[in-house]
Amino acid sequence: METLAENLEMAEIAGTATTVSEAMNTRHSIRRFDARPVEQEKLDRIFNTSLRAPSWKNSQPWRVHVVMGDKLKRLASLMTEAALAGKVTPDITWPTQYPADAKRRMFDLGMKIYGVAGIDRKDKAARDQFMVDNFKFFDAPVAVFITSNFETNYYVGIDIGCYLQSVMLLAREQGLGTCPQAALSATPEIVRSELGLPPEQKVLVGLSLGYPLPEKDLNRFHTPREAFEEKVKYYT
Ligand SMILES: Cc1cc2nc3c(=O)[nH]c(=O)nc-3n(C[C@H](O)[C@H](O)[C@H](O)COP(=O)(O)O)c2cc1C
């Protein structure tokens, strides 16, 4: 069986990123945050600039809800309670079917992530607790919910993906860490009720945002990618 030390690429997310390539190469998901607040100017810069993301016919399907302070604490508590009670009712059904090669990567991610988090894969209680950390935004001081009143289809998904990656790269530029989270779409009724959103605003995805805790292995774990030759082909 492979050992973590042999196969894990560890990389600190530290400091700002000055080029798009640097932000792209050094971003990875952060799952342990410092509680210290994020400066308002940084948030303004990220959430203003990310609105430049492209979308189908410039339709801009996103609504962006940036939650902090007491509101965040209340959401964390309500969402955690619901998740523990198994009340997971996403607006958009989560996928269940994947090709075999994707299943292998997903299994590999689980193995590695539980390894760095110090969780025994057979310890269901510990795995459940780790899942629940999602709903506490991994202690981040900022949570972002992306909603849409559009008919949800493949192209809206692409638009939202473009938006989400833009936020993550802009955050990385500012020296901030992020974790994109489908988990944050698990309890849409709570999100709508707490943020005063109408029923037509579907909760598509969320993101935790803040300063990474530097000493945590979980934050230094850089996930592998398939070889260039496997995924990209030039045609002439
Ligand atoms: C749409 C989407 C949903 C995700 N949902 C979760 C989630 O609910 N919880 C979590 O810890 N990570 C989540 N992730 C993070 C992925 O696990 C992560 O992006 C992937 O393993 C690649 O690792 P990296 O982000 O560190 O490069 C999500 C990522 C995306 C793009």
Side-chain angles (χ1 to χ4, degrees), residues 27-29 31 109 134 138 164 179-183 205 223 225:
R27 181 216 62 82
H28 58 229
S29 294
R31 295 183 180 88
L109 174 71
N134 270 280
F138 302 116
L164 195 63
C179 187
Q181 288 165 264
V205 71
T223 46
R225 295 293 185 268

Side-chain angles (χ1 to χ4, degrees), residues 20-195:
V20 178
S21 300
E22 187 187 357
M24 191 77 197
N25 280 322
T26 61
R27 181 216 62 82
H28 58 229
S29 294
I30 293 298
R31 295 183 180 88
R32 291 288 177 262
F33 289 89
D34 194 329
R36 98 177 121 120
V38 175
E39 298 83 344
Q40 187 62 44
E41 317 80 73
K42 292 194 175 183
L43 294 177
D44 290 345
R45 186 182 277 257
I46 293 165
F47 291 106
N48 270 305
T49 311
S50 55
L51 293 177
R52 294 297 313 163
S55 58
W56 173 278
K57 293 188 181 177
N58 202 22
S59 55
Q60 304 172 45
W62 44 74
R63 283 285 179 280
V64 185
H65 312 274
V66 184
V67 188
M68 295 171 276
D70 288 345
K71 197 58 144 176
L72 184 71
K73 285 194 192 119
R74 200 178 137 77
L75 261 177
S77 151
L78 290 169
M79 289 174 68
T80 300
E81 192 183 33
L84 284 171
K87 294 182 187 157
V88 171
T89 55
D91 289 326
I92 311 300
T93 309
W94 288 347
T96 52
Q97 303 297 317
Y98 295 93
D101 64 319
K103 280 190 198 157
R104 178 179 50 73
R105 287 192 289 276
M106 292 161 78
F107 179 79
D108 184 61
L109 174 71
M111 290 290 283
K112 287 177 171 165
I113 223 165
Y114 289 135
V116 276
I119 293 168
D120 179 349
R121 257 192 89 83
K122 292 186 202 113
D123 184 348
K124 182 165 177 341
R127 276 191 287 134
D128 287 351
Q129 185 53 51
F130 184 74
M131 183 58 192
V132 163
D133 287 350
N134 270 280
F135 304 104
K136 296 176 178 157
F137 315 110
F138 302 116
D139 295 329
V142 183
V144 183
F145 292 89
I146 301 173
T147 69
S148 181
N149 63 352
F150 281 40
E151 173 202 347
T152 46
N153 62 35
Y154 186 73
Y155 290 97
V156 168
I158 292 177
D159 297 343
I160 298 297
C162 289
Y163 179 79
L164 195 63
Q165 174 76 328
S166 303
V167 169
M168 292 191 282
L169 294 180
L170 288 161
R172 178 68 198 89
E173 181 188 45
Q174 300 291 320
L176 292 158
T178 50
C179 187
Q181 288 165 264
L184 299 187
S185 66
T187 59
E189 297 298 349
I190 293 174
V191 174
R192 276 190 285 272
S193 153
E194 287 300 304
L195 303 184

Side-chain angles (χ1 to χ4, degrees), residues 215-227:
E215 75 276 18
K216 296 286 182 197
D217 272 359
L218 192 56
N219 281 348
R220 298 174 62 242
F221 166 45
H222 205 62
T223 46
R225 295 293 185 268
E226 297 292 291

